[in-house]
Amino acid sequence: MKLIVGIIKPSKLDELRNALLNIDVEGLTTSEVSGFGRQKGHTELYRGAEYVIDFLPKVKIEIAVSDGMLEQTIDAITKAANTGKIGDGKVFVASLEQVIRIRTGETGEDAV
């Protein structure tokens, strides 16, 4: 089993959710986060004053999938989140040692 963590633009979340539902990935956790990568933030003008925005709003997604669904899920994420512009985000993959469904006590891939 794998844990996929993605950092994407907030405007792409609905498109990503639909892409995941199309491949039968049903579990998704999101968090509103902020950060910066190569774009290093940007400058905005407000009432004549210039402000540097160092941390940009992003959405962090977390998805637990079986090994067999890994490539298909990564492909869905990268296609749905891609705008072709800087700041599209990143995808991280880590191994999961154990998963337990609290309600039923199921473990492993049955719990995903």
Side-chain angles (χ1 to χ4, degrees):
M1 291 176 299
K2 302 293 183 195
L3 177 64
I4 301 171
V5 177
I7 308 294
I8 65 169
K9 291 182 176 184
S11 62
K12 299 302 259 175
L13 183 58
D14 286 336
E15 191 174 333
L16 173 64
R17 181 178 174 267
N18 291 333
L20 292 172
L21 287 174
N22 286 338
I23 62 168
D24 296 325
V25 173
E26 296 175 346
L28 170 69
T29 301
T30 66
S31 306
E32 291 181 11
V33 296
S34 60
F36 69 90
R38 289 187 181 160
Q39 79 269 32
K40 309 271 192 290
H42 65 277
T43 304
E44 288 187 1
L45 202 59
Y46 179 72
R47 294 190 178 186
E50 213 172 71
Y51 293 93
V52 175
I53 309 296
D54 291 328
F55 294 94
L56 301 174
K58 301 287 183 177
V59 173
K60 178 180 178 181
I61 60 159
E62 296 173 292
I63 308 164
V65 297
S66 65
D67 290 335
M69 287 294 294
L70 178 63
E71 292 304 320
Q72 191 177 6
T73 306
I74 291 172
D75 189 48
I77 294 168
T78 54
K79 285 180 179 172
N82 185 22
T83 66
K85 297 181 179 148
I86 194 165
D88 276 351
K90 298 266 191 294
V91 175
F92 305 96
V93 179
S95 293
L96 280 176
E97 300 261 336
Q98 181 69 284
V99 177
I100 302 163
R101 185 184 312 262
I102 294 173
R103 180 178 53 87
T104 62
E106 294 170 296
T107 61
E109 289 188 13
D110 293 335
V112 176

